[in-house]
Amino acid sequence: MTISGDTPLEDRLADDEVLGWRLQLAYAGLHPDATAVLLDAHGPEGAVARVRAARSGNTRAAEAAAIPAVARVEELAELGVAVRFRGGPGYPPHLGELPGAPDVLFVLGLWPTGPTVAVVGTRRCTAYGRNLAAAYGHTIADAGWVLVSGLARGIDGAAHRGTVAASGKGAAVLGCGLDVAYPREHASLRDELLALGGAVVSEYPPGTPPEAWRFPPRNRIISGSAQAVVVVEAAVRGGALITASLALEQGVPVFATPGDVGKPAAAGCNLLIRDGAHPVLDPADLIAELELILGPVARRVAGPADQFPWEGITIDDLARSQGTSVADAAATLARAETAGAVARNGDRYYPTLGKSR
Amino acid sequence: MFARVTSVALVGVDPRPVQVEVHVTNGRSVFAIVGLPDTAVREAKERVRAAFGSSGLRFPAGRVVVNLSPADLPKAGSAYDLPIALGLAAAIDRRHGPTTDVVALGELGLDGTLRPVRGGFGAALVGRRLGRRVLLPMEAAAEAGGLEGAEVFGTPTLRAALDAANGWQVPEPPGAPDDLPQGPDLAEVRGQLAARRALEVAGAGGHHILMSGPPGVGKTLLARCLPSLLPPLPSLELLEVALAWTAAGLPRLCRLDPPFRSPHHSATLPALIGGGSGVPVPGEVTLAHRGVLFLDELGEFPTPLLDALRQPIEDGRVVVARKGSTVTFPSEIQLVAATNPCPCGFHDDGEVPCVCASRAIDRYRARLSGPLLDRFDIRIRMNRVDHRLLSGPPGEPSGTIRTRVVAARKRQMARGGVNAKLERGAIDALDWTDSAVRLLDAAAESNRLSPRGWDRVRRVAVTIADLGESAVITDGHVGEALAYRVQ
């Protein structure tokens, strides 16, 4: 997938041999910190030579780095993967200015332009968190902004789903190669994301397996490419808080949604708020806060209270609070669900947040 | 020197008369049993010989041949000891021996006592049909007690049986057996309004129902309440239930509530659907015939068991094929199942986070998905009840709800059958309002309903209308039906 007017990779490599060395170094699949240190000290060509020489250490990386960059052109073209060099065209604009940003990015699709918001959170989220993340994803898309997240299970995936449901643009940053379907259940979500004009990116070359140590570094890409980071649910330890602290280092404002004190999935967010993150409430509140940073939004977003006043209501609750029969309450909720005004999760109904009227 | 006594063999749960013919002639001492007997029947020779001696009778010298007819019916177990002994006694003494005009079943001890056997109820039915006196061991006679039109006698020993057959000393006929305790009443269930209502709809329309929710929310209690909501069994169905239970060697049920069975997920395939080595024995699906089969922790049942359940659920009968013969057991059941939404039980819970790996959830769900899940017309999601409601007033008692269910069933019977099983055309022919059709279309379009799901939702809607004594089916009825169909 090349942009029209984009010079083919083969020609670019022929024009500038340094690009070839940089791509060759990226293919070594080293830890991003190691790549950065090598580049700083030895430059692209020297770094490749160093990796190839270090046979005693990591032979896999040494072998991968030994293959000339031109030999990768065909493989990348087959996968539809574009290569973006830091400082070159197509590289996420804000990210490139930050220290420690990846030298090379592998990209499927086109990195969407426009104000960008990151929504991140724990993989082990509650239904409440999942709904909220989806609502944020939906509202951000409705506002015409770009959502960036990690396509992980839990909050990340829910946020992406919200964007896709609103036909918005999003970018997903992976911790593995672009041809590796991980997590597997998000394969279709990733396709939808691409079909709507979004992007899936990784600093790791195709074929890189999802190893645990590769995920924390990719969070700096998420936070670095966004103008705001929203943490929905996070445990005290975990990727979401890493993203938040990276964002603070990078000078990106961090927002966090408050949760129950004592609920493990909310502890990280509450900690962030105590330490100075902006608390955000429902999606309308998030938009109001983000407007201060990203500029006003043309479309007004209806708050959930305007549509459906009961968050997480069950049939029993509705029957009891309205004094109607269970049959009527069930029929009311099912009709609202069919009409798309509410969504069911387990036995609870939630307003479909962020849908503009 | 020949005598013939009638006995009974169970084919499936169905009792068939078997003729036990005894022939005694002079010659070398031989005792032979012919007519497809199994090992236990062949061993009857030794038991009969010993019991004869213990009862003060002389075992005949000469050639004794016992024939069990019809010969193509497989006969198993020790229940033919008594008819063989009676026939033998009659054959050697035509004038003073017992009458052979009886139906007899029972195992003999070496000391001449009679031991309990399965099939007493079936023997009583055969006796009633043939108009003959039925002689059974005491315990087997108890299960046949209270059966109108049958002359059943329980006898403790061979001696007493001989006397009873001659009418010399007729023992007391047994009374109706004691009943098992009733299941719980729905009044015990606090809160869970939607689940209670869904159970009522399921009971009224004969819909299979699946309840999912975290542990401890009352899924099992609710399921156990279902028999108390269902219409009492008519006498013919009560007879079918008694046959099924006694064929499995269980006490006969005399109460009018439909039976309730809840096999554990570690049950074997023959235990669940019937079969086993030797003569096939009814399984849990047959014990739940005309009643409720409750599968707790549905997600824990191994896939082969769940697959094997499909035929009994669909056809209302189990066919156990054996070399040379097939046996059919009845299994008209209403299926109730409970499951956790995931291995830890808290997936999609509003408050408690789920700690399962998502692959584990997928595996758990995959086991339930597909054809089996499709068979549950009503699928509800339950959750914890506020503790303040637990100490609140009791819910509506089962008796009141049963009145509504019976009325709704009456409307369905006038139409030709319960809504869950009514033919499609009869559902189409009902009076659907325009708004009801529009709502169904909208639900189908929003991809929430498969074609089969669409049909099942309509049936549930009809049941809801029946409960409301409404001749037309409105969007309110359809809406409620949609609410009871959690994916």
Side-chain angles (χ1 to χ4, degrees), chain A residues 127 130 153 185 316 320 326-327 330-331 334-335 337-338 344-347, chain B residues 192-194 348-349 358 381 383 389 442-443 448 476 479-480 483 485:
Chain A
R130 201 169 22 237
R153 298 184 176 112
E185 62 263 37
D316 286 28
R320 219 173 272 125
V326 181
R335 256 183 255 151
E337 191 189 5
T338 308
R344 177 162 53 186
N345 206 322
D347 63 335
Chain B
Q192 300 292 16
L193 303 177
D348 274 347
D349 188 285
S358 67
R381 175 63 204 252
N383 223 325
L389 290 172
R448 289 186 43 232
E480 193 186 348
R485 202 175 174 83

PDB file of all heavy atoms in Angstrom, chain A residues 127 130 153 185 316 320 326-327 330-331 334-335 337-338 344-347, chain B residues 192-194 348-349 358 381 383 389 442-443 448 476 479-480 483 485:
ATOM      1  N   ALA A 127     -16.688  -4.445  32.796  1.00  0.00           N
ATOM      2  CA  ALA A 127     -17.633  -4.100  31.736  1.00  0.00           C
ATOM      3  C   ALA A 127     -17.852  -2.590  31.715  1.00  0.00           C
ATOM      4  O   ALA A 127     -17.999  -1.971  30.656  1.00  0.00           O
ATOM      5  CB  ALA A 127     -18.953  -4.827  31.967  1.00  0.00           C
ATOM      6  N   ARG A 130     -14.997  -1.036  29.922  1.00  0.00           N
ATOM      7  CA  ARG A 130     -15.066  -1.336  28.496  1.00  0.00           C
ATOM      8  C   ARG A 130     -16.072  -0.423  27.805  1.00  0.00           C
ATOM      9  O   ARG A 130     -15.829   0.126  26.737  1.00  0.00           O
ATOM     10  CB  ARG A 130     -15.442  -2.804  28.304  1.00  0.00           C
ATOM     11  CG  ARG A 130     -15.069  -3.311  26.964  1.00  0.00           C
ATOM     12  CD  ARG A 130     -15.170  -4.813  26.802  1.00  0.00           C
ATOM     13  NE  ARG A 130     -16.052  -5.471  27.728  1.00  0.00           N
ATOM     14  CZ  ARG A 130     -15.673  -6.442  28.539  1.00  0.00           C
ATOM     15  NH1 ARG A 130     -14.436  -6.850  28.526  1.00  0.00           N
ATOM     16  NH2 ARG A 130     -16.528  -7.011  29.344  1.00  0.00           N
ATOM     17  N   ARG A 153      -6.220  -6.410  24.288  1.00  0.00           N
ATOM     18  CA  ARG A 153      -7.510  -6.807  24.842  1.00  0.00           C
ATOM     19  C   ARG A 153      -7.956  -5.755  25.851  1.00  0.00           C
ATOM     20  O   ARG A 153      -7.148  -4.968  26.321  1.00  0.00           O
ATOM     21  CB  ARG A 153      -7.373  -8.145  25.557  1.00  0.00           C
ATOM     22  CG  ARG A 153      -6.967  -9.246  24.637  1.00  0.00           C
ATOM     23  CD  ARG A 153      -6.934 -10.581  25.375  1.00  0.00           C
ATOM     24  NE  ARG A 153      -6.621 -11.628  24.444  1.00  0.00           N
ATOM     25  CZ  ARG A 153      -5.474 -12.330  24.448  1.00  0.00           C
ATOM     26  NH1 ARG A 153      -4.575 -12.124  25.364  1.00  0.00           N
ATOM     27  NH2 ARG A 153      -5.269 -13.250  23.534  1.00  0.00           N
ATOM     28  N   GLU A 185      -8.156 -12.396  18.508  1.00  0.00           N
ATOM     29  CA  GLU A 185      -9.573 -12.037  18.382  1.00  0.00           C
ATOM     30  C   GLU A 185      -9.768 -10.622  17.859  1.00  0.00           C
ATOM     31  O   GLU A 185     -10.888 -10.226  17.574  1.00  0.00           O
ATOM     32  CB  GLU A 185     -10.289 -12.219  19.729  1.00  0.00           C
ATOM     33  CG  GLU A 185      -9.771 -11.344  20.851  1.00  0.00           C
ATOM     34  CD  GLU A 185      -8.771 -12.086  21.714  1.00  0.00           C
ATOM     35  OE1 GLU A 185      -7.983 -12.887  21.153  1.00  0.00           O
ATOM     36  OE2 GLU A 185      -8.757 -11.882  22.933  1.00  0.00           O
ATOM     37  N   ASP A 316     -34.766  -5.429  36.254  1.00  0.00           N
ATOM     38  CA  ASP A 316     -35.304  -5.346  37.614  1.00  0.00           C
ATOM     39  C   ASP A 316     -35.315  -3.900  38.122  1.00  0.00           C
ATOM     40  O   ASP A 316     -36.301  -3.431  38.679  1.00  0.00           O
ATOM     41  CB  ASP A 316     -34.463  -6.199  38.573  1.00  0.00           C
ATOM     42  CG  ASP A 316     -34.706  -7.679  38.391  1.00  0.00           C
ATOM     43  OD1 ASP A 316     -35.061  -8.068  37.257  1.00  0.00           O
ATOM     44  OD2 ASP A 316     -34.557  -8.440  39.359  1.00  0.00           O
ATOM     45  N   ARG A 320     -38.576  -1.680  39.132  1.00  0.00           N
ATOM     46  CA  ARG A 320     -38.737  -1.246  40.516  1.00  0.00           C
ATOM     47  C   ARG A 320     -38.826   0.269  40.610  1.00  0.00           C
ATOM     48  O   ARG A 320     -39.671   0.808  41.303  1.00  0.00           O
ATOM     49  CB  ARG A 320     -37.562  -1.778  41.350  1.00  0.00           C
ATOM     50  CG  ARG A 320     -37.982  -2.239  42.721  1.00  0.00           C
ATOM     51  CD  ARG A 320     -36.834  -2.906  43.453  1.00  0.00           C
ATOM     52  NE  ARG A 320     -36.749  -4.324  43.171  1.00  0.00           N
ATOM     53  CZ  ARG A 320     -35.669  -4.931  42.717  1.00  0.00           C
ATOM     54  NH1 ARG A 320     -34.575  -4.250  42.447  1.00  0.00           N
ATOM     55  NH2 ARG A 320     -35.675  -6.218  42.515  1.00  0.00           N
ATOM     56  N   VAL A 326     -42.478  -6.205  35.237  1.00  0.00           N
ATOM     57  CA  VAL A 326     -41.229  -6.667  34.630  1.00  0.00           C
ATOM     58  C   VAL A 326     -41.397  -6.786  33.129  1.00  0.00           C
ATOM     59  O   VAL A 326     -40.504  -6.441  32.351  1.00  0.00           O
ATOM     60  CB  VAL A 326     -40.822  -8.024  35.223  1.00  0.00           C
ATOM     61  CG1 VAL A 326     -39.521  -8.483  34.611  1.00  0.00           C
ATOM     62  CG2 VAL A 326     -40.689  -7.935  36.715  1.00  0.00           C
ATOM     63  N   ALA A 327     -42.568  -7.263  32.719  1.00  0.00           N
ATOM     64  CA  ALA A 327     -42.820  -7.454  31.292  1.00  0.00           C
ATOM     65  C   ALA A 327     -42.658  -6.127  30.547  1.00  0.00           C
ATOM     66  O   ALA A 327     -41.989  -6.062  29.511  1.00  0.00           O
ATOM     67  CB  ALA A 327     -44.227  -8.017  31.092  1.00  0.00           C
ATOM     68  N   ALA A 330     -38.968  -4.959  30.536  1.00  0.00           N
ATOM     69  CA  ALA A 330     -38.171  -5.740  29.586  1.00  0.00           C
ATOM     70  C   ALA A 330     -38.452  -5.283  28.163  1.00  0.00           C
ATOM     71  O   ALA A 330     -37.540  -5.104  27.360  1.00  0.00           O
ATOM     72  CB  ALA A 330     -38.487  -7.228  29.736  1.00  0.00           C
ATOM     73  N   ALA A 331     -39.743  -5.073  27.861  1.00  0.00           N
ATOM     74  CA  ALA A 331     -40.120  -4.661  26.510  1.00  0.00           C
ATOM     75  C   ALA A 331     -39.542  -3.284  26.195  1.00  0.00           C
ATOM     76  O   ALA A 331     -39.037  -3.049  25.097  1.00  0.00           O
ATOM     77  CB  ALA A 331     -41.638  -4.658  26.370  1.00  0.00           C
ATOM     78  N   ALA A 334     -35.772  -3.626  25.550  1.00  0.00           N
ATOM     79  CA  ALA A 334     -35.480  -4.342  24.308  1.00  0.00           C
ATOM     80  C   ALA A 334     -35.795  -3.463  23.107  1.00  0.00           C
ATOM     81  O   ALA A 334     -35.079  -3.466  22.108  1.00  0.00           O
ATOM     82  CB  ALA A 334     -36.279  -5.635  24.242  1.00  0.00           C
ATOM     83  N   ARG A 335     -36.878  -2.673  23.207  1.00  0.00           N
ATOM     84  CA  ARG A 335     -37.222  -1.772  22.102  1.00  0.00           C
ATOM     85  C   ARG A 335     -36.141  -0.719  21.930  1.00  0.00           C
ATOM     86  O   ARG A 335     -35.728  -0.406  20.816  1.00  0.00           O
ATOM     87  CB  ARG A 335     -38.577  -1.107  22.366  1.00  0.00           C
ATOM     88  CG  ARG A 335     -39.685  -1.723  21.532  1.00  0.00           C
ATOM     89  CD  ARG A 335     -40.976  -0.988  21.758  1.00  0.00           C
ATOM     90  NE  ARG A 335     -41.841  -1.807  22.600  1.00  0.00           N
ATOM     91  CZ  ARG A 335     -42.745  -1.322  23.432  1.00  0.00           C
ATOM     92  NH1 ARG A 335     -42.915  -0.037  23.579  1.00  0.00           N
ATOM     93  NH2 ARG A 335     -43.492  -2.132  24.128  1.00  0.00           N
ATOM     94  N   GLU A 337     -33.090  -1.028  22.730  1.00  0.00           N
ATOM     95  CA  GLU A 337     -31.885  -1.664  22.206  1.00  0.00           C
ATOM     96  C   GLU A 337     -31.992  -1.864  20.704  1.00  0.00           C
ATOM     97  O   GLU A 337     -31.042  -1.625  19.961  1.00  0.00           O
ATOM     98  CB  GLU A 337     -31.662  -3.023  22.905  1.00  0.00           C
ATOM     99  CG  GLU A 337     -30.301  -3.612  22.600  1.00  0.00           C
ATOM    100  CD  GLU A 337     -30.150  -5.035  23.098  1.00  0.00           C
ATOM    101  OE1 GLU A 337     -31.139  -5.610  23.595  1.00  0.00           O
ATOM    102  OE2 GLU A 337     -29.035  -5.570  22.980  1.00  0.00           O
ATOM    103  N   THR A 338     -33.174  -2.308  20.267  1.00  0.00           N
ATOM    104  CA  THR A 338     -33.374  -2.508  18.834  1.00  0.00           C
ATOM    105  C   THR A 338     -33.219  -1.187  18.082  1.00  0.00           C
ATOM    106  O   THR A 338     -32.700  -1.144  16.979  1.00  0.00           O
ATOM    107  CB  THR A 338     -34.765  -3.107  18.574  1.00  0.00           C
ATOM    108  OG1 THR A 338     -34.915  -4.256  19.405  1.00  0.00           O
ATOM    109  CG2 THR A 338     -34.928  -3.501  17.134  1.00  0.00           C
ATOM    110  N   ARG A 344     -26.712  -3.618  25.453  1.00  0.00           N
ATOM    111  CA  ARG A 344     -26.763  -4.510  26.604  1.00  0.00           C
ATOM    112  C   ARG A 344     -25.403  -5.127  26.836  1.00  0.00           C
ATOM    113  O   ARG A 344     -24.692  -5.486  25.907  1.00  0.00           O
ATOM    114  CB  ARG A 344     -27.788  -5.610  26.352  1.00  0.00           C
ATOM    115  CG  ARG A 344     -27.843  -6.632  27.479  1.00  0.00           C
ATOM    116  CD  ARG A 344     -29.109  -7.430  27.427  1.00  0.00           C
ATOM    117  NE  ARG A 344     -29.326  -8.025  26.110  1.00  0.00           N
ATOM    118  CZ  ARG A 344     -30.418  -8.678  25.791  1.00  0.00           C
ATOM    119  NH1 ARG A 344     -31.390  -8.803  26.650  1.00  0.00           N
ATOM    120  NH2 ARG A 344     -30.558  -9.205  24.589  1.00  0.00           N
ATOM    121  N   ASN A 345     -25.049  -5.219  28.085  1.00  0.00           N
ATOM    122  CA  ASN A 345     -23.818  -5.905  28.442  1.00  0.00           C
ATOM    123  C   ASN A 345     -24.142  -6.790  29.630  1.00  0.00           C
ATOM    124  O   ASN A 345     -24.415  -6.287  30.713  1.00  0.00           O
ATOM    125  CB  ASN A 345     -22.757  -4.865  28.799  1.00  0.00           C
ATOM    126  CG  ASN A 345     -21.380  -5.408  28.549  1.00  0.00           C
ATOM    127  OD1 ASN A 345     -21.132  -6.594  28.795  1.00  0.00           O
ATOM    128  ND2 ASN A 345     -20.488  -4.576  28.067  1.00  0.00           N
ATOM    129  N   GLY A 346     -24.153  -8.095  29.437  1.00  0.00           N
ATOM    130  CA  GLY A 346     -24.612  -8.961  30.517  1.00  0.00           C
ATOM    131  C   GLY A 346     -26.079  -8.660  30.789  1.00  0.00           C
ATOM    132  O   GLY A 346     -26.883  -8.617  29.871  1.00  0.00           O
ATOM    133  N   ASP A 347     -26.427  -8.405  32.041  1.00  0.00           N
ATOM    134  CA  ASP A 347     -27.821  -8.108  32.343  1.00  0.00           C
ATOM    135  C   ASP A 347     -28.057  -6.602  32.450  1.00  0.00           C
ATOM    136  O   ASP A 347     -29.129  -6.175  32.818  1.00  0.00           O
ATOM    137  CB  ASP A 347     -28.245  -8.815  33.646  1.00  0.00           C
ATOM    138  CG  ASP A 347     -27.452  -8.311  34.828  1.00  0.00           C
ATOM    139  OD1 ASP A 347     -26.326  -7.828  34.624  1.00  0.00           O
ATOM    140  OD2 ASP A 347     -27.964  -8.403  35.957  1.00  0.00           O
TER     141      ASP A 347
ATOM    142  N   GLN B 192     -34.591 -10.813  41.646  1.00  0.00           N
ATOM    143  CA  GLN B 192     -34.502 -11.548  40.365  1.00  0.00           C
ATOM    144  C   GLN B 192     -35.837 -11.501  39.616  1.00  0.00           C
ATOM    145  O   GLN B 192     -36.328 -12.520  39.121  1.00  0.00           O
ATOM    146  CB  GLN B 192     -34.085 -13.011  40.586  1.00  0.00           C
ATOM    147  CG  GLN B 192     -32.756 -13.181  41.254  1.00  0.00           C
ATOM    148  CD  GLN B 192     -31.589 -12.748  40.387  1.00  0.00           C
ATOM    149  OE1 GLN B 192     -31.768 -12.045  39.404  1.00  0.00           O
ATOM    150  NE2 GLN B 192     -30.389 -13.116  40.775  1.00  0.00           N
ATOM    151  N   LEU B 193     -36.417 -10.302  39.536  1.00  0.00           N
ATOM    152  CA  LEU B 193     -37.747 -10.184  38.929  1.00  0.00           C
ATOM    153  C   LEU B 193     -37.745 -10.662  37.485  1.00  0.00           C
ATOM    154  O   LEU B 193     -38.618 -11.424  37.074  1.00  0.00           O
ATOM    155  CB  LEU B 193     -38.204  -8.723  38.991  1.00  0.00           C
ATOM    156  CG  LEU B 193     -38.247  -8.105  40.389  1.00  0.00           C
ATOM    157  CD1 LEU B 193     -38.645  -6.648  40.307  1.00  0.00           C
ATOM    158  CD2 LEU B 193     -39.228  -8.872  41.264  1.00  0.00           C
ATOM    159  N   ALA B 194     -36.736 -10.223  36.732  1.00  0.00           N
ATOM    160  CA  ALA B 194     -36.703 -10.584  35.316  1.00  0.00           C
ATOM    161  C   ALA B 194     -36.532 -12.092  35.157  1.00  0.00           C
ATOM    162  O   ALA B 194     -37.177 -12.707  34.313  1.00  0.00           O
ATOM    163  CB  ALA B 194     -35.572  -9.839  34.611  1.00  0.00           C
ATOM    164  N   ASP B 348     -18.288  -9.631  32.080  1.00  0.00           N
ATOM    165  CA  ASP B 348     -19.415  -8.718  31.844  1.00  0.00           C
ATOM    166  C   ASP B 348     -20.156  -8.368  33.118  1.00  0.00           C
ATOM    167  O   ASP B 348     -21.303  -7.949  33.086  1.00  0.00           O
ATOM    168  CB  ASP B 348     -20.408  -9.303  30.827  1.00  0.00           C
ATOM    169  CG  ASP B 348     -19.979  -8.983  29.413  1.00  0.00           C
ATOM    170  OD1 ASP B 348     -19.093  -8.121  29.261  1.00  0.00           O
ATOM    171  OD2 ASP B 348     -20.535  -9.569  28.487  1.00  0.00           O
ATOM    172  N   ASP B 349     -19.526  -8.553  34.256  1.00  0.00           N
ATOM    173  CA  ASP B 349     -20.137  -8.119  35.494  1.00  0.00           C
ATOM    174  C   ASP B 349     -19.941  -6.609  35.571  1.00  0.00           C
ATOM    175  O   ASP B 349     -18.964  -6.068  35.091  1.00  0.00           O
ATOM    176  CB  ASP B 349     -19.418  -8.805  36.665  1.00  0.00           C
ATOM    177  CG  ASP B 349     -20.120  -8.555  37.987  1.00  0.00           C
ATOM    178  OD1 ASP B 349     -20.015  -7.450  38.538  1.00  0.00           O
ATOM    179  OD2 ASP B 349     -20.779  -9.483  38.462  1.00  0.00           O
ATOM    180  N   SER B 358      -8.531 -14.226  28.034  1.00  0.00           N
ATOM    181  CA  SER B 358      -9.619 -14.143  27.063  1.00  0.00           C
ATOM    182  C   SER B 358      -9.701 -15.421  26.243  1.00  0.00           C
ATOM    183  O   SER B 358     -10.761 -15.775  25.760  1.00  0.00           O
ATOM    184  CB  SER B 358      -9.452 -12.927  26.175  1.00  0.00           C
ATOM    185  OG  SER B 358      -8.330 -13.095  25.364  1.00  0.00           O
ATOM    186  N   ARG B 381     -29.578 -13.390  31.514  1.00  0.00           N
ATOM    187  CA  ARG B 381     -28.363 -13.114  32.245  1.00  0.00           C
ATOM    188  C   ARG B 381     -28.795 -12.656  33.640  1.00  0.00           C
ATOM    189  O   ARG B 381     -29.624 -11.773  33.775  1.00  0.00           O
ATOM    190  CB  ARG B 381     -27.603 -12.010  31.510  1.00  0.00           C
ATOM    191  CG  ARG B 381     -26.371 -11.507  32.203  1.00  0.00           C
ATOM    192  CD  ARG B 381     -25.339 -12.598  32.339  1.00  0.00           C
ATOM    193  NE  ARG B 381     -24.493 -12.260  33.456  1.00  0.00           N
ATOM    194  CZ  ARG B 381     -23.230 -11.846  33.343  1.00  0.00           C
ATOM    195  NH1 ARG B 381     -22.678 -11.766  32.174  1.00  0.00           N
ATOM    196  NH2 ARG B 381     -22.545 -11.541  34.409  1.00  0.00           N
ATOM    197  N   ASN B 383     -27.759 -11.528  37.760  1.00  0.00           N
ATOM    198  CA  ASN B 383     -26.679 -10.930  38.525  1.00  0.00           C
ATOM    199  C   ASN B 383     -27.041 -10.875  39.991  1.00  0.00           C
ATOM    200  O   ASN B 383     -28.170 -11.187  40.373  1.00  0.00           O
ATOM    201  CB  ASN B 383     -26.354  -9.535  37.997  1.00  0.00           C
ATOM    202  CG  ASN B 383     -24.851  -9.335  37.920  1.00  0.00           C
ATOM    203  OD1 ASN B 383     -24.116  -9.847  38.762  1.00  0.00           O
ATOM    204  ND2 ASN B 383     -24.395  -8.628  36.910  1.00  0.00           N
ATOM    205  N   LEU B 389     -32.755  -6.529  49.357  1.00  0.00           N
ATOM    206  CA  LEU B 389     -33.920  -7.248  48.825  1.00  0.00           C
ATOM    207  C   LEU B 389     -33.985  -8.661  49.392  1.00  0.00           C
ATOM    208  O   LEU B 389     -35.056  -9.257  49.478  1.00  0.00           O
ATOM    209  CB  LEU B 389     -33.837  -7.322  47.296  1.00  0.00           C
ATOM    210  CG  LEU B 389     -34.047  -5.993  46.580  1.00  0.00           C
ATOM    211  CD1 LEU B 389     -33.739  -6.152  45.109  1.00  0.00           C
ATOM    212  CD2 LEU B 389     -35.465  -5.506  46.778  1.00  0.00           C
ATOM    213  N   ALA B 442     -37.000  -4.941  12.604  1.00  0.00           N
ATOM    214  CA  ALA B 442     -35.895  -4.073  13.038  1.00  0.00           C
ATOM    215  C   ALA B 442     -34.851  -4.883  13.787  1.00  0.00           C
ATOM    216  O   ALA B 442     -33.650  -4.701  13.601  1.00  0.00           O
ATOM    217  CB  ALA B 442     -36.430  -2.941  13.914  1.00  0.00           C
ATOM    218  N   ALA B 443     -35.327  -5.806  14.637  1.00  0.00           N
ATOM    219  CA  ALA B 443     -34.391  -6.626  15.406  1.00  0.00           C
ATOM    220  C   ALA B 443     -33.592  -7.533  14.474  1.00  0.00           C
ATOM    221  O   ALA B 443     -32.395  -7.735  14.658  1.00  0.00           O
ATOM    222  CB  ALA B 443     -35.138  -7.459  16.437  1.00  0.00           C
ATOM    223  N   ARG B 448     -29.279  -8.844  15.243  1.00  0.00           N
ATOM    224  CA  ARG B 448     -29.330  -9.466  16.549  1.00  0.00           C
ATOM    225  C   ARG B 448     -30.042 -10.808  16.477  1.00  0.00           C
ATOM    226  O   ARG B 448     -30.061 -11.545  17.441  1.00  0.00           O
ATOM    227  CB  ARG B 448     -30.011  -8.544  17.551  1.00  0.00           C
ATOM    228  CG  ARG B 448     -29.134  -7.343  17.899  1.00  0.00           C
ATOM    229  CD  ARG B 448     -29.752  -6.523  18.974  1.00  0.00           C
ATOM    230  NE  ARG B 448     -30.291  -7.361  20.029  1.00  0.00           N
ATOM    231  CZ  ARG B 448     -31.523  -7.276  20.482  1.00  0.00           C
ATOM    232  NH1 ARG B 448     -32.332  -6.376  19.999  1.00  0.00           N
ATOM    233  NH2 ARG B 448     -31.942  -8.068  21.426  1.00  0.00           N
ATOM    234  N   GLY B 476     -45.246  -4.957  22.347  1.00  0.00           N
ATOM    235  CA  GLY B 476     -44.853  -5.148  23.752  1.00  0.00           C
ATOM    236  C   GLY B 476     -44.455  -6.590  24.003  1.00  0.00           C
ATOM    237  O   GLY B 476     -43.453  -6.869  24.660  1.00  0.00           O
ATOM    238  N   GLY B 479     -41.199  -7.245  22.212  1.00  0.00           N
ATOM    239  CA  GLY B 479     -40.102  -6.574  22.920  1.00  0.00           C
ATOM    240  C   GLY B 479     -39.654  -7.370  24.119  1.00  0.00           C
ATOM    241  O   GLY B 479     -38.458  -7.584  24.340  1.00  0.00           O
ATOM    242  N   GLU B 480     -40.618  -7.867  24.898  1.00  0.00           N
ATOM    243  CA  GLU B 480     -40.240  -8.640  26.081  1.00  0.00           C
ATOM    244  C   GLU B 480     -39.499  -9.911  25.670  1.00  0.00           C
ATOM    245  O   GLU B 480     -38.499 -10.296  26.282  1.00  0.00           O
ATOM    246  CB  GLU B 480     -41.487  -8.984  26.911  1.00  0.00           C
ATOM    247  CG  GLU B 480     -41.108  -9.495  28.294  1.00  0.00           C
ATOM    248  CD  GLU B 480     -42.298  -9.978  29.106  1.00  0.00           C
ATOM    249  OE1 GLU B 480     -43.446  -9.733  28.716  1.00  0.00           O
ATOM    250  OE2 GLU B 480     -42.045 -10.626  30.136  1.00  0.00           O
ATOM    251  N   ALA B 483     -36.007  -9.251  24.955  1.00  0.00           N
ATOM    252  CA  ALA B 483     -35.203  -8.987  26.154  1.00  0.00           C
ATOM    253  C   ALA B 483     -34.707 -10.283  26.785  1.00  0.00           C
ATOM    254  O   ALA B 483     -33.715 -10.291  27.495  1.00  0.00           O
ATOM    255  CB  ALA B 483     -36.012  -8.190  27.165  1.00  0.00           C
ATOM    256  N   ARG B 485     -33.423 -12.771  25.354  1.00  0.00           N
ATOM    257  CA  ARG B 485     -32.555 -13.470  24.413  1.00  0.00           C
ATOM    258  C   ARG B 485     -31.177 -12.838  24.419  1.00  0.00           C
ATOM    259  O   ARG B 485     -30.744 -12.213  23.472  1.00  0.00           O
ATOM    260  CB  ARG B 485     -33.165 -13.448  23.014  1.00  0.00           C
ATOM    261  CG  ARG B 485     -32.619 -14.564  22.155  1.00  0.00           C
ATOM    262  CD  ARG B 485     -33.281 -14.661  20.824  1.00  0.00           C
ATOM    263  NE  ARG B 485     -32.622 -15.654  20.018  1.00  0.00           N
ATOM    264  CZ  ARG B 485     -32.878 -16.944  20.095  1.00  0.00           C
ATOM    265  NH1 ARG B 485     -33.787 -17.380  20.918  1.00  0.00           N
ATOM    266  NH2 ARG B 485     -32.232 -17.806  19.348  1.00  0.00           N
TER     267      ARG B 485
END
